[in-house]
Amino acid sequence: MTVLQAQRRPLVLAVHGTRSAEGTRTTQALARAVAEHLQVETHLGWVDIHTPTLTDTLRKLGEAVVVPVFLTSGYHVTSDIPAAIAAAGGRASATAMVGADVLPAVLDRLAEVGAFDAVVLAGAGSLRPRALDQVRVVTNTLARAVDRPALAGFVTAASPTVPEAVGALRAAGHARIAVASYLLAPGRFSAQLMHAGADAVSRPIGVHPLL
């Protein structure tokens, strides 16, 4: 270990929990990949469902760098993660969330499904308008990148839903419609996309080198 590595604070990936075993394994594999790639001590801090919670992890570590592994600034990013840092003593600091920087990985996953005439970017959804707007901004960037019409669709808590967005593109005359999964790991939300009426659905981002 170099002196620089010894001085590095531990990295904590703040992640949403899932009841999907595959999704949990994917998140754990991501932590291992980050640790290997950066050569830094890496932990998971679950914001929901699983333990150890983010607060528990930070209490154990003390000083640490928290990376919110989220795609939009919903409640977990704006409220839960800062509250967990404060509850653990305030010795950790948080980076910006992963967010739209991961779009190239989404495009890689989308390329795996083959040709399409139009695409729905499927986000998890949120009750917070800002989070929904962030998905719509990424949708516009996606449309330019693939040179195809694109609409945002949401799995829960917002409209249009993914099936509604697929239906709108069908009504506009597009024959082959793809859904681009704007999701980090497999789980209930990604499973729902398979029943949205699209011709193809890309995989969640998962353990992608760009992530």
Side-chain angles (χ1 to χ4, degrees), residues 93-115:
S93 58
T95 70
M97 67 180 181
V98 169
D101 285 346
V102 81
L103 179 59
V106 177
L107 291 170
D108 269 6
R109 298 299 190 217
L110 183 59
E112 297 171 352
V113 308

PDB file of all heavy atoms in Angstrom, residues 93-115:
ATOM      1  N   SER A  93     -18.122  13.057   4.593  1.00  0.00           N
ATOM      2  CA  SER A  93     -18.528  14.064   3.614  1.00  0.00           C
ATOM      3  C   SER A  93     -19.082  13.347   2.395  1.00  0.00           C
ATOM      4  O   SER A  93     -18.674  12.229   2.075  1.00  0.00           O
ATOM      5  CB  SER A  93     -17.344  14.946   3.210  1.00  0.00           C
ATOM      6  OG  SER A  93     -16.289  14.158   2.679  1.00  0.00           O
ATOM      7  N   ALA A  94     -20.026  13.997   1.718  1.00  0.00           N
ATOM      8  CA  ALA A  94     -20.682  13.386   0.568  1.00  0.00           C
ATOM      9  C   ALA A  94     -20.244  14.043  -0.727  1.00  0.00           C
ATOM     10  O   ALA A  94     -20.053  15.256  -0.791  1.00  0.00           O
ATOM     11  CB  ALA A  94     -22.198  13.482   0.707  1.00  0.00           C
ATOM     12  N   THR A  95     -20.107  13.223  -1.749  1.00  0.00           N
ATOM     13  CA  THR A  95     -19.856  13.728  -3.095  1.00  0.00           C
ATOM     14  C   THR A  95     -21.208  14.044  -3.742  1.00  0.00           C
ATOM     15  O   THR A  95     -22.257  13.840  -3.158  1.00  0.00           O
ATOM     16  CB  THR A  95     -19.135  12.682  -3.951  1.00  0.00           C
ATOM     17  OG1 THR A  95     -20.041  11.602  -4.238  1.00  0.00           O
ATOM     18  CG2 THR A  95     -17.900  12.142  -3.247  1.00  0.00           C
ATOM     19  N   ALA A  96     -21.164  14.524  -4.972  1.00  0.00           N
ATOM     20  CA  ALA A  96     -22.381  14.618  -5.764  1.00  0.00           C
ATOM     21  C   ALA A  96     -22.883  13.205  -6.071  1.00  0.00           C
ATOM     22  O   ALA A  96     -22.122  12.234  -6.038  1.00  0.00           O
ATOM     23  CB  ALA A  96     -22.106  15.371  -7.056  1.00  0.00           C
ATOM     24  N   MET A  97     -24.180  13.089  -6.366  1.00  0.00           N
ATOM     25  CA  MET A  97     -24.725  11.786  -6.737  1.00  0.00           C
ATOM     26  C   MET A  97     -24.187  11.366  -8.102  1.00  0.00           C
ATOM     27  O   MET A  97     -23.665  12.182  -8.870  1.00  0.00           O
ATOM     28  CB  MET A  97     -26.245  11.839  -6.766  1.00  0.00           C
ATOM     29  CG  MET A  97     -26.795  12.717  -7.866  1.00  0.00           C
ATOM     30  SD  MET A  97     -28.598  12.781  -7.883  1.00  0.00           S
ATOM     31  CE  MET A  97     -28.858  13.872  -9.304  1.00  0.00           C
ATOM     32  N   VAL A  98     -24.350  10.081  -8.411  1.00  0.00           N
ATOM     33  CA  VAL A  98     -23.916   9.563  -9.708  1.00  0.00           C
ATOM     34  C   VAL A  98     -24.629  10.307 -10.829  1.00  0.00           C
ATOM     35  O   VAL A  98     -24.014  10.852 -11.744  1.00  0.00           O
ATOM     36  CB  VAL A  98     -24.181   8.055  -9.796  1.00  0.00           C
ATOM     37  CG1 VAL A  98     -23.990   7.549 -11.220  1.00  0.00           C
ATOM     38  CG2 VAL A  98     -23.256   7.295  -8.845  1.00  0.00           C
ATOM     39  N   GLY A  99     -25.961  10.324 -10.806  1.00  0.00           N
ATOM     40  CA  GLY A  99     -26.745  11.134 -11.725  1.00  0.00           C
ATOM     41  C   GLY A  99     -26.513  10.864 -13.197  1.00  0.00           C
ATOM     42  O   GLY A  99     -26.188   9.738 -13.608  1.00  0.00           O
ATOM     43  N   ALA A 100     -26.675  11.901 -14.000  1.00  0.00           N
ATOM     44  CA  ALA A 100     -26.691  11.775 -15.453  1.00  0.00           C
ATOM     45  C   ALA A 100     -25.339  11.411 -16.049  1.00  0.00           C
ATOM     46  O   ALA A 100     -25.272  11.056 -17.234  1.00  0.00           O
ATOM     47  CB  ALA A 100     -27.184  13.085 -16.074  1.00  0.00           C
ATOM     48  N   ASP A 101     -24.269  11.476 -15.272  1.00  0.00           N
ATOM     49  CA  ASP A 101     -22.953  11.103 -15.803  1.00  0.00           C
ATOM     50  C   ASP A 101     -22.912   9.654 -16.265  1.00  0.00           C
ATOM     51  O   ASP A 101     -22.004   9.250 -16.999  1.00  0.00           O
ATOM     52  CB  ASP A 101     -21.870  11.319 -14.745  1.00  0.00           C
ATOM     53  CG  ASP A 101     -21.535  12.794 -14.565  1.00  0.00           C
ATOM     54  OD1 ASP A 101     -21.937  13.599 -15.423  1.00  0.00           O
ATOM     55  OD2 ASP A 101     -20.882  13.137 -13.572  1.00  0.00           O
ATOM     56  N   VAL A 102     -23.895   8.867 -15.844  1.00  0.00           N
ATOM     57  CA  VAL A 102     -23.894   7.453 -16.186  1.00  0.00           C
ATOM     58  C   VAL A 102     -24.607   7.188 -17.520  1.00  0.00           C
ATOM     59  O   VAL A 102     -24.699   6.035 -17.958  1.00  0.00           O
ATOM     60  CB  VAL A 102     -24.561   6.647 -15.042  1.00  0.00           C
ATOM     61  CG1 VAL A 102     -26.086   6.691 -15.139  1.00  0.00           C
ATOM     62  CG2 VAL A 102     -24.063   5.211 -15.010  1.00  0.00           C
ATOM     63  N   LEU A 103     -25.070   8.220 -18.208  1.00  0.00           N
ATOM     64  CA  LEU A 103     -25.787   8.024 -19.466  1.00  0.00           C
ATOM     65  C   LEU A 103     -25.002   7.192 -20.492  1.00  0.00           C
ATOM     66  O   LEU A 103     -25.607   6.363 -21.186  1.00  0.00           O
ATOM     67  CB  LEU A 103     -26.190   9.370 -20.071  1.00  0.00           C
ATOM     68  CG  LEU A 103     -26.928   9.285 -21.410  1.00  0.00           C
ATOM     69  CD1 LEU A 103     -28.219   8.476 -21.289  1.00  0.00           C
ATOM     70  CD2 LEU A 103     -27.230  10.675 -21.960  1.00  0.00           C
ATOM     71  N   PRO A 104     -23.682   7.366 -20.660  1.00  0.00           N
ATOM     72  CA  PRO A 104     -22.986   6.498 -21.614  1.00  0.00           C
ATOM     73  C   PRO A 104     -23.161   5.007 -21.322  1.00  0.00           C
ATOM     74  O   PRO A 104     -23.218   4.187 -22.252  1.00  0.00           O
ATOM     75  CB  PRO A 104     -21.523   6.928 -21.470  1.00  0.00           C
ATOM     76  CG  PRO A 104     -21.604   8.357 -21.038  1.00  0.00           C
ATOM     77  CD  PRO A 104     -22.788   8.409 -20.109  1.00  0.00           C
ATOM     78  N   ALA A 105     -23.265   4.643 -20.059  1.00  0.00           N
ATOM     79  CA  ALA A 105     -23.512   3.237 -19.716  1.00  0.00           C
ATOM     80  C   ALA A 105     -24.921   2.825 -20.131  1.00  0.00           C
ATOM     81  O   ALA A 105     -25.143   1.704 -20.608  1.00  0.00           O
ATOM     82  CB  ALA A 105     -23.312   3.021 -18.223  1.00  0.00           C
ATOM     83  N   VAL A 106     -25.891   3.713 -19.959  1.00  0.00           N
ATOM     84  CA  VAL A 106     -27.257   3.439 -20.408  1.00  0.00           C
ATOM     85  C   VAL A 106     -27.279   3.222 -21.922  1.00  0.00           C
ATOM     86  O   VAL A 106     -27.944   2.318 -22.434  1.00  0.00           O
ATOM     87  CB  VAL A 106     -28.199   4.599 -20.013  1.00  0.00           C
ATOM     88  CG1 VAL A 106     -29.612   4.367 -20.537  1.00  0.00           C
ATOM     89  CG2 VAL A 106     -28.219   4.776 -18.501  1.00  0.00           C
ATOM     90  N   LEU A 107     -26.532   4.048 -22.647  1.00  0.00           N
ATOM     91  CA  LEU A 107     -26.459   3.905 -24.104  1.00  0.00           C
ATOM     92  C   LEU A 107     -25.812   2.582 -24.498  1.00  0.00           C
ATOM     93  O   LEU A 107     -26.235   1.938 -25.476  1.00  0.00           O
ATOM     94  CB  LEU A 107     -25.680   5.075 -24.702  1.00  0.00           C
ATOM     95  CG  LEU A 107     -26.370   6.437 -24.623  1.00  0.00           C
ATOM     96  CD1 LEU A 107     -25.402   7.553 -25.015  1.00  0.00           C
ATOM     97  CD2 LEU A 107     -27.615   6.465 -25.512  1.00  0.00           C
ATOM     98  N   ASP A 108     -24.815   2.150 -23.769  1.00  0.00           N
ATOM     99  CA  ASP A 108     -24.202   0.847 -24.033  1.00  0.00           C
ATOM    100  C   ASP A 108     -25.214  -0.275 -23.869  1.00  0.00           C
ATOM    101  O   ASP A 108     -25.291  -1.195 -24.690  1.00  0.00           O
ATOM    102  CB  ASP A 108     -23.026   0.617 -23.079  1.00  0.00           C
ATOM    103  CG  ASP A 108     -21.715   1.097 -23.655  1.00  0.00           C
ATOM    104  OD1 ASP A 108     -21.721   1.705 -24.744  1.00  0.00           O
ATOM    105  OD2 ASP A 108     -20.670   0.874 -23.016  1.00  0.00           O
ATOM    106  N   ARG A 109     -25.974  -0.238 -22.783  1.00  0.00           N
ATOM    107  CA  ARG A 109     -26.997  -1.264 -22.558  1.00  0.00           C
ATOM    108  C   ARG A 109     -28.061  -1.217 -23.654  1.00  0.00           C
ATOM    109  O   ARG A 109     -28.552  -2.251 -24.123  1.00  0.00           O
ATOM    110  CB  ARG A 109     -27.648  -1.071 -21.193  1.00  0.00           C
ATOM    111  CG  ARG A 109     -26.712  -1.210 -19.997  1.00  0.00           C
ATOM    112  CD  ARG A 109     -26.099  -2.575 -19.911  1.00  0.00           C
ATOM    113  NE  ARG A 109     -25.398  -2.772 -18.649  1.00  0.00           N
ATOM    114  CZ  ARG A 109     -24.269  -3.456 -18.531  1.00  0.00           C
ATOM    115  NH1 ARG A 109     -23.704  -4.009 -19.613  1.00  0.00           N
ATOM    116  NH2 ARG A 109     -23.693  -3.622 -17.345  1.00  0.00           N
ATOM    117  N   LEU A 110     -28.440  -0.006 -24.071  1.00  0.00           N
ATOM    118  CA  LEU A 110     -29.453   0.139 -25.109  1.00  0.00           C
ATOM    119  C   LEU A 110     -28.968  -0.417 -26.442  1.00  0.00           C
ATOM    120  O   LEU A 110     -29.750  -1.014 -27.198  1.00  0.00           O
ATOM    121  CB  LEU A 110     -29.836   1.609 -25.244  1.00  0.00           C
ATOM    122  CG  LEU A 110     -30.953   1.956 -26.235  1.00  0.00           C
ATOM    123  CD1 LEU A 110     -32.244   1.238 -25.876  1.00  0.00           C
ATOM    124  CD2 LEU A 110     -31.169   3.468 -26.262  1.00  0.00           C
ATOM    125  N   ALA A 111     -27.694  -0.266 -26.728  1.00  0.00           N
ATOM    126  CA  ALA A 111     -27.136  -0.776 -27.993  1.00  0.00           C
ATOM    127  C   ALA A 111     -27.248  -2.294 -28.093  1.00  0.00           C
ATOM    128  O   ALA A 111     -27.262  -2.848 -29.202  1.00  0.00           O
ATOM    129  CB  ALA A 111     -25.676  -0.345 -28.122  1.00  0.00           C
ATOM    130  N   GLU A 112     -27.368  -2.954 -26.955  1.00  0.00           N
ATOM    131  CA  GLU A 112     -27.453  -4.418 -26.952  1.00  0.00           C
ATOM    132  C   GLU A 112     -28.781  -4.925 -27.514  1.00  0.00           C
ATOM    133  O   GLU A 112     -28.872  -6.096 -27.902  1.00  0.00           O
ATOM    134  CB  GLU A 112     -27.280  -4.951 -25.525  1.00  0.00           C
ATOM    135  CG  GLU A 112     -25.934  -4.661 -24.911  1.00  0.00           C
ATOM    136  CD  GLU A 112     -25.867  -5.006 -23.428  1.00  0.00           C
ATOM    137  OE1 GLU A 112     -26.925  -5.334 -22.845  1.00  0.00           O
ATOM    138  OE2 GLU A 112     -24.771  -4.955 -22.859  1.00  0.00           O
ATOM    139  N   VAL A 113     -29.824  -4.091 -27.560  1.00  0.00           N
ATOM    140  CA  VAL A 113     -31.146  -4.586 -27.957  1.00  0.00           C
ATOM    141  C   VAL A 113     -31.384  -4.508 -29.453  1.00  0.00           C
ATOM    142  O   VAL A 113     -32.426  -4.956 -29.942  1.00  0.00           O
ATOM    143  CB  VAL A 113     -32.270  -3.830 -27.205  1.00  0.00           C
ATOM    144  CG1 VAL A 113     -32.031  -3.850 -25.711  1.00  0.00           C
ATOM    145  CG2 VAL A 113     -32.424  -2.388 -27.710  1.00  0.00           C
ATOM    146  N   GLY A 114     -30.468  -3.923 -30.198  1.00  0.00           N
ATOM    147  CA  GLY A 114     -30.636  -3.835 -31.636  1.00  0.00           C
ATOM    148  C   GLY A 114     -31.334  -2.562 -32.070  1.00  0.00           C
ATOM    149  O   GLY A 114     -31.483  -1.610 -31.299  1.00  0.00           O
ATOM    150  N   ALA A 115     -31.789  -2.566 -33.335  1.00  0.00           N
ATOM    151  CA  ALA A 115     -32.367  -1.352 -33.919  1.00  0.00           C
ATOM    152  C   ALA A 115     -33.743  -1.053 -33.324  1.00  0.00           C
ATOM    153  O   ALA A 115     -34.465  -1.947 -32.890  1.00  0.00           O
ATOM    154  CB  ALA A 115     -32.486  -1.515 -35.429  1.00  0.00           C
TER     155      ALA A 115
END
